[in-house]
Amino acid sequence: MVHVVTMTKHELVALGYGPWASKDIIRRAKLLMVQKGCPYYESPKLGRVPVTAVEEVLGLTLNARTLSELAKIGASASEEQS
């Protein structure tokens, strides 16, 4: 089984993007995934996309250290919500 690293708009905000820019990046990444043949990403409630799609939209590569730091932020945010 392949493990796909994903991200949400909250992680993009943690990287320094604004809330609206982050939402737009996720929207564009979802459209990209649908164009690549993944209809799963057509769901309007889905807010998590593969990091590779975000990298393609932004035109940059996120390193492993950045992704691990974002995972910690995401874990603490989910604990606060519960």
Side-chain angles (χ1 to χ4, degrees), residues 34-49:
V34 170
Q35 289 172 354
K36 288 185 173 189
C38 301
Y40 171 75
Y41 292 97
E42 289 178 320
S43 172
K45 293 186 177 185
L46 183 66
R48 183 172 294 278
V49 294

Side-chain angles (χ1 to χ4, degrees), residues 49-71:
V49 294
V51 170
T52 55
V54 172
E55 290 175 334
E56 195 168 333
V57 166
L58 295 175
L60 53 84
T61 302
L62 300 173
N63 65 32
R65 182 177 176 188
T66 301
L67 295 174
S68 67
E69 289 172 8
L70 289 176

Side-chain angles (χ1 to χ4, degrees), residues 24-40:
D24 187 56
I25 292 166
I26 296 297
R27 181 189 62 79
R28 291 169 47 201
K30 287 174 63 173
L31 288 172
L32 177 66
M33 294 304 295
V34 170
Q35 289 172 354
K36 288 185 173 189
C38 301
Y40 171 75

